[in-house]
Amino acid sequence: QVQLVESGGGLVQPGGSLTLSCTASGTSFSGWPMAWYRQAQDDERELVATITVGSTPYYKNAVKGRFTISRDNAKNTVTLQKNSLQPADTAVYYCNKVSNLWPWGQGTQVTVSS
């Protein structure tokens, strides 16, 4: 049974930074393109960033230049570094594969507010 665990969220002021981490039990990330998603209250879950097996990133336009996705296959970890946070970034953040998704983890809440 695959279990995804996201961590690192919290309350931050506009312009602040957070680093989110994702680990998994029951599987390895190493052979899969991975992604971070987010879901704001009353909105659908959306793709934020992806990273290929070879560590090539892709970003949603709204976060390009502010977020950085990375992976450490040896540690089975995918990380999302978030800078210059804005209130519109407030959401629950999840990690998962790009396709053929595993069961969703609980996510980690990010709240950007003054």
Side-chain angles (χ1 to χ4, degrees):
Q1 179 76 16
V2 176
Q3 288 189 316
L4 297 168
V5 179
E6 300 90 353
S7 62
L11 173 63
V12 62
Q13 293 186 341
S17 298
L18 282 174
T19 299
L20 308 183
S21 293
C22 174
T23 62
S25 60
T27 191
S28 170
F29 291 160
S30 63
W32 304 102
M34 294 296 298
W36 280 95
Y37 303 79
R38 69 185 180 187
Q39 186 170 18
Q41 193 169 6
D42 299 329
D43 279 346
E44 294 185 354
R45 192 171 291 162
E46 64 175 357
L47 183 69
V48 174
T50 67
I51 187 165
T52 67
V53 171
S55 293
T56 299
Y58 158 84
Y59 300 98
K60 173 183 172 68
N61 282 342
V63 307
K64 199 173 295 185
R66 301 188 296 119
F67 290 10
T68 302
I69 188 171
S70 60
R71 65 191 299 158
D72 185 335
N73 291 333
K75 295 182 179 179
N76 210 31
T77 300
V78 178
T79 300
L80 187 68
Q81 171 69 40
K82 299 144 56 80
N83 299 322
S84 302
L85 283 162
Q86 305 167 357
D89 297 318
T90 295
V92 179
Y93 285 73
Y94 304 86
C95 72
N96 212 314
K97 294 192 293 181
V98 173
S99 61
N100 295 322
L101 303 179
W102 288 313
W104 293 100
Q106 292 189 332
T108 186
Q109 174 72 49
V110 173
T111 302
V112 185
S113 175
S114 55

